[in-house]
Amino acid sequence: MTADLDFALDDLEPADIDSEQAESLLWAGDLTVLAEHHTAPLRSHSYVVAHDTSVTWGVPGAPQVAAIKVARDFGLGTFTLESEYHASVPFAQAWLIERGCPPEKIALAEGDFVEAADEQTLRVQQMIRDGGQRYDVIDTWTWDDNPCENWTLARDSAAAEKPVRVFLEVVDPATHTYTVREGAFPDEDTARDWLEDRSTPLPPAPEDHLAADALRASVALARSTGHHAGSVTACGLDRIPAPAPSTASVQGPGPGRSL
């Protein structure tokens, strides 16, 4: 993990209005790099996962993990820049992988973050990263005070039943670990009711047992090659000062932020 981020755009102009606006909304000083990949030898493309510290002090619940892609055309002297905010690192990684980043190049560095508490957490994260356009994100919420958690509400296009899914990530500061669980619901309203109440266990996805068998091998491979399969919330980041406690309510769904 590094606190330095240089987009290397000093001698380049934005190729379009969208890239100009995206650049103006990203402040390198607010971004702590969690993972990055730059193509060799000319660094024509950059893929970055970063924690935006400024979001902590903004709208309660807004996603804090930025996925950023930069493409440079040195012949024309231009660049294109895309960015999207997510509640968790696996969704940010999936967004970058879908846009051409090799999956193994955007893994988090081992040892810098809180550790996954169990095999199920690793499996669910792998499924998200490998999902491509499978999940259509509906809403997110991030809370970096106690209890430290984030959730992503999404529609699973591959689900034969209960297509609305909740991915809930919770950090345990006592053990310096976190869990990620997937819950399945028949519709968005039912999912939001559970997020508001939580008096019952998170209902598991019907295909959980099939996914476990299919992904166990890939999780083992990721471990054997030394890539950390972890995720992160703001309160789970090492070496980043913790934000001051907020007075906002934790249970209400918060508005997302994207570029």
Side-chain angles (χ1 to χ4, degrees), residues 12-252:
L12 303 174
E13 296 293 330
D16 49 49
I17 188 63
D18 290 339
S19 297
E20 182 178 4
Q21 291 176 344
E23 182 193 17
S24 69
L25 292 172
L26 287 172
W27 293 87
D30 293 333
L31 301 174
T32 298
V33 177
L34 308 178
E36 59 185 321
H37 170 61
H38 308 282
T39 55
L42 299 177
R43 193 178 163 122
S44 60
H45 290 74
S46 294
Y47 304 88
V48 178
V49 177
H51 174 234
D52 190 337
T53 59
S54 69
V55 180
T56 301
W57 311 104
V59 177
Q64 301 179 10
V65 180
I68 306 162
K69 177 187 176 182
V70 181
R72 305 170 184 85
D73 188 326
F74 297 107
L76 295 177
T78 61
F79 70 88
T80 58
L81 191 153
E82 303 173 75
S83 176
E84 186 168 282
Y85 277 72
H86 295 273
S88 68
V89 167
F91 276 99
Q93 290 169 320
W95 188 87
L96 292 172
I97 292 167
E98 185 68 15
R99 284 156 180 79
C101 184
E104 70 278 6
K105 298 294 186 179
I106 205 65
L108 301 189
E110 188 170 2
D112 277 347
F113 308 98
V114 293
E115 297 291 331
D118 51 31
E119 190 79 13
Q120 186 175 359
T121 293
L122 296 173
R123 178 179 62 78
V124 173
Q125 291 181 134
Q126 186 91 25
M127 182 176 62
I128 295 169
R129 280 191 297 271
D130 294 345
Q133 297 181 349
R134 172 178 175 176
Y135 300 106
D136 180 21
V137 176
I138 300 169
D139 198 4
T140 68
W141 179 263
T142 298
W143 186 251
D144 49 23
D145 199 5
N146 189 30
C148 181
E149 68 169 41
N150 68 67
W151 53 255
T152 298
L153 178 64
R155 186 172 298 275
D156 183 356
S157 62
E161 56 181 304
K162 297 184 177 180
V164 175
R165 303 297 166 94
V166 169
F167 296 94
L168 177 66
E169 179 176 312
V170 180
V171 174
D172 182 352
T175 61
H176 208 56
T177 62
Y178 69 94
T179 58
V180 180
R181 297 292 184 262
E182 177 189 15
F185 300 87
D187 52 56
E188 182 180 338
D189 288 342
T190 306
R192 290 188 182 277
D193 287 344
W194 185 89
L195 286 166
E196 291 285 348
D197 184 358
R198 306 199 191 185
S199 59
T200 59
L202 187 65
E207 66 278 8
D208 252 4
H209 65 288
L210 298 176
D213 293 340
L215 289 171
R216 187 170 290 113
S218 58
V219 169
L221 177 62
R223 282 178 163 177
S224 68
T225 55
H227 295 305
H228 182 56
S231 182
V232 65
T233 57
C235 64
L237 290 171
D238 287 351
R239 299 194 296 276
I240 292 182
S246 170
T247 58
S249 170
V250 65
Q251 293 297 332

